Amino acid sequence: MAQWTSAMGAVQLARLLNSQQDRPAGPGTRRPPAYRALADGIRLLVLEGRVPVAARLPAERELALALSVSRTTVAAAYEALRSEGFLESRRGAGSWTAVPAGNPLPARGLEPLPPEALGSMIDLGCAALPAPEPWLTRAVQGALEELPPYAHTHGDYPAGLPALRAMIAERYTARGIPTMPEQVMVTTGAMGAIDAICHLFAGRGERIAVESPSYANILQLMREAGARLVPVAMAEGLTGWDIDRWRQVLRDAAPRIAYVVADFHNPTGALADEDQRRQLVEAARSAGTVLVADETMSELWLDAEMEGAMPRPVCAFDPAGSTVITVGSASKAFWAGMRIGWVRAAPDVIRSLVAARAYADLGTPVLEQLAVNWLFSTGGWAQAVEVRREQARGNRDALVAAVRRQLPSWEFEVPKGGLTLWVRAGGLSGSRLAEVGERVGVRVPSGPRFGVDGAFEGYVRLPFTVGGAVAEEAAARLAAAARLVESGGAAGGGEAPRTFVA
C-alpha cells in the first residue's frame, strides 16, 4: 500500500517553486547546480509546510515539463532529496515527501507554567488571557443564584442544560442561522466537542483532512484517536484557503472528516471570506466529507473595520445541515478556565453524540453552564468580550511593534483578529529557538507543533498574551535566543523542552 496521503500536481508544485523569492548571492558566491537548487526548493517547501509531508510528488517527466528543465535535473534533485531523507519512493507507488529520521514529530505539550514561575519566565506558549473581570465574578455569582433548583436533581445533563441549549440556539438564529435547541449539545470545551465528533465519525485508521498548519492540540487529539491526518497546505498570507487544493484532497483522499478554523485561524490568523466558505462546503458535500468548523475565535475581531463585517458562519452555507458541524467555545472569547463548549449539528447527529457520551464524561459541570447562560442572557457576554478584544488588541499592537524593533528580519502579517501571530523566524530553526528561548527566559512554541510530521521548522507562534514592557522584554529575549541560535549556541544534548500550546 502506498505511503502517501495526498498528491501534488506538477503545475501546482511548479507554481509554488516559482513563488520562492531568490535571495541575492553575496560577492564571490557561486550559484548551486540546477538540481541542487530544485532539491533545496522542494525541501524548503516541505519544511515550511507549503508542501505537506506524505504528499505524492509528480513524476520526473511531468515536473520537468512544468519547470522547463531537463528530466535529468529533476531525477538528480529527487535522488538528493531521497539521500537527505526528504523523499521516499517505491516502484509502482511513486515518490512522496518525508522528513529525515530522527526529527522530532509534533507531540503533546507539557502543562502550562505554574503561576509562581511566571516571575522569571515569560510564557508565550498558551494563547489565553486572564479572565475579563468583573464579568467572571458576576457570572459565577449569578450562577450560584440559579443553582438551587438544579441541586435537587441528579445533575447529569448529557446534552447540556436545556436553558443553555436554548440560549445557544437563539444566538445562532440571531446570526441568521435558524437553530433549534435539539441541534445543540453542550460539551466540556471545544476539545471535548472535537473529541466526541472524532469518535463518532472517524474510527481508528480513518482519514481526517486538516489545514497545514493547524491547531496543535487538535492535531494531537486526532493522532491519539488513531486518525490518519491528511494535511492541506494553507495559501500564502492571510487569505488562507486554497480551494482548488482542498477540492483535490477531498476528492483523492476521501477523508471522513475535514477540520477547519475559518475565523482567525490558529495559528496563522487567516480569515476565510464568504466565497471560500461556500466553496469549501460544496467541496465537502460532493466528497461525502463531514466538515467540522471550529469557530472558537469568531468573536475575537480586533480591528474596528471588522465590526459588522464578519463573514457568515460556515454552517450558513449548509442549510440542509447534512455537511457542516460547528464547534464553539467560551474558552477563547471569555476565559480558558471556563470549560464550556458546544456543538451545533443536525438533530440526528446531536442524538448520536449524546448517546455516545454515556461512555465518556456523562455531561458538563452545571455551575459553569449556568455561568455562561447568565452571561448570554444578561448582556454580560458582549461586554466581557469587548474587554477581551481591548486586551488582545493592545497586546497585539505592542508585540508586533516589539518584534519589528528587536527582530527586523522576522516576517509576518498582522491578523485582524484572533490571538496569534504566525512568524517566519528569519531562516532560523523554530525548534532551536524554542529550546534556547527557555534558557533565556521565554517560552515559545515552535512551528512543527502546528504541522503534520515535522513541517514548519522555520516558524514560531507568538500569542497576544503580553503587552507593554513585558512584550518588549519578550521580544528582547527572543532576539537573544536568535543570536545564540545563529552563533551555534543552541547545540546541546537531550530532548529540547516542549511547550504547552493552547
Side-chain angles (χ1 to χ4, degrees):
M1 182 178 178
Q3 300 301 305
W4 50 273
T5 57
S6 62
M8 177 69 62
V11 174
Q12 182 182 12
L13 180 56
R15 186 171 66 247
L16 291 173
L17 287 165
N18 290 332
S19 71
Q20 294 175 333
Q21 297 181 355
D22 292 331
R23 296 187 177 182
T29 302
R30 302 174 63 181
R31 285 187 172 273
Y35 85 90
R36 184 68 260 172
L38 176 56
D40 289 345
I42 294 174
R43 176 176 54 82
L44 181 60
L45 289 172
V46 172
L47 289 174
E48 290 183 341
R50 297 175 67 193
V51 170
V53 175
R56 186 179 187 273
L57 294 187
E60 295 169 2
R61 188 185 304 275
E62 295 174 356
L63 185 57
L65 183 62
L67 291 172
S68 299
V69 299
S70 71
R71 183 177 177 183
T72 302
T73 296
V74 177
Y78 278 14
E79 181 57 37
L81 290 168
R82 274 189 288 270
S83 68
E84 296 162 6
F86 285 94
L87 197 69
E88 296 180 9
S89 305
R90 192 168 68 235
R91 185 178 298 277
S95 300
W96 56 92
T97 55
V99 291
N103 277 33
L105 300 182
R108 66 177 62 82
L110 300 177
E111 69 281 356
L113 281 176
E116 60 269 18
L118 294 177
S120 58
M121 180 77 71
I122 300 175
D123 189 1
L124 297 181
C126 292
L129 289 162
E133 288 289 25
W135 299 107
L136 174 62
T137 298
R138 292 181 183 177
V140 173
Q141 290 171 342
L144 288 171
E145 293 175 3
E146 299 291 334
L147 182 61
Y150 295 94
H152 294 294
T153 73
H154 51 62
D156 287 334
Y157 295 88
L161 294 185
L164 181 55
R165 296 176 71 197
M167 184 59 66
I168 293 171
E170 183 179 315
R171 286 169 55 83
Y172 277 108
T173 300
R175 295 166 69 188
I177 317 296
T179 304
M180 304 178 295
E182 292 79 10
Q183 292 177 260
V184 175
M185 181 178 83
V186 180
T187 63
T188 307
M191 292 287 289
I194 301 294
D195 184 56
I197 293 166
C198 288
H199 279 89
L200 179 62
F201 285 97
R204 184 166 292 274
E206 291 275 7
R207 289 176 175 173
I208 299 179
V210 295
E211 297 143 332
S212 182
S214 187
Y215 179 29
N217 284 348
I218 292 295
L219 295 180
Q220 186 59 33
L221 182 155
M222 292 173 174
R223 289 188 190 97
E224 294 193 352
R228 298 175 60 193
L229 301 184
V230 182
V232 185
M234 297 283 284
E236 283 293 296
L238 297 179
T239 56
W241 290 262
D242 184 331
I243 299 301
D244 289 339
R245 192 173 297 174
W246 269 100
R247 286 198 188 96
Q248 180 184 2
V249 168
L250 294 177
R251 181 182 64 246
D252 295 347
R256 187 70 182 91
I257 291 176
Y259 170 77
V260 297
V261 186
D263 299 289
F264 306 121
H265 175 260
N266 187 353
T268 68
L271 177 67
D273 62 32
E274 290 208 354
D275 190 53
Q276 289 174 322
R277 295 168 191 237
R278 179 184 295 106
Q279 292 188 61
L280 191 55
V281 172
E282 291 172 354
R285 184 182 297 117
S286 296
T289 297
V290 175
L291 183 62
V292 179
D294 183 337
E295 59 174 28
T296 54
M297 297 280 193
S298 63
E299 296 189 62
L300 289 177
W301 50 265
L302 304 182
D303 291 352
E305 67 193 68
M306 299 305 300
E307 184 172 7
M310 284 290 292
R312 285 177 290 170
V314 175
C315 59
F317 304 98
D318 180 37
S322 60
T323 300
V324 178
I325 297 177
T326 303
V327 172
S329 172
S331 298
K332 294 297 186 186
F334 185 75
W335 184 47
M338 188 68 76
R339 304 305 305 160
I340 298 294
W342 53 86
V343 178
R344 181 200 179 274
D348 62 316
V349 172
I350 295 298
R351 286 193 294 270
S352 297
L353 289 170
V354 172
R357 196 170 193 180
Y359 307 100
D361 62 359
L362 291 177
T364 302
V366 170
L367 188 63
E368 292 183 24
Q369 291 187 72
L370 288 172
V372 172
N373 192 59
W374 183 93
L375 288 166
F376 285 157
S377 61
T378 63
W381 177 268
Q383 296 177 69
V385 171
E386 183 54 40
V387 171
R388 170 65 75 237
R389 291 193 192 107
E390 291 176 5
Q391 291 174 320
R393 184 184 303 117
N395 288 352
R396 179 197 64 179
D397 296 346
L399 186 64
V400 165
V403 172
R404 283 176 171 165
R405 278 192 296 270
Q406 299 279 355
L407 294 150
S409 66
W410 287 21
E411 302 170 48
F412 54 85
E413 291 192 49
V414 182
K416 297 180 183 298
L419 291 172
T420 58
L421 196 67
W422 185 236
V423 181
R424 193 193 305 249
L428 301 179
S429 161
S431 296
R432 287 300 187 189
L433 284 168
E435 177 187 6
V436 177
E438 294 218 17
R439 299 188 208 163
V440 299
V442 60
R443 263 188 157 192
V444 58
S446 63
R449 293 188 43 73
F450 303 89
V452 176
D453 295 341
F456 304 106
E457 182 56 53
Y459 289 80
V460 293
R461 190 195 74 171
L462 305 180
F464 310 146
T465 53
V466 295
V470 180
E472 192 69 39
E473 178 62 22
R477 294 183 188 187
L478 284 172
R483 289 191 293 271
L484 283 171
V485 172
E486 287 177 326
S487 66
E495 182 182 356
R498 293 174 293 180
T499 307
F500 178 88
V501 176

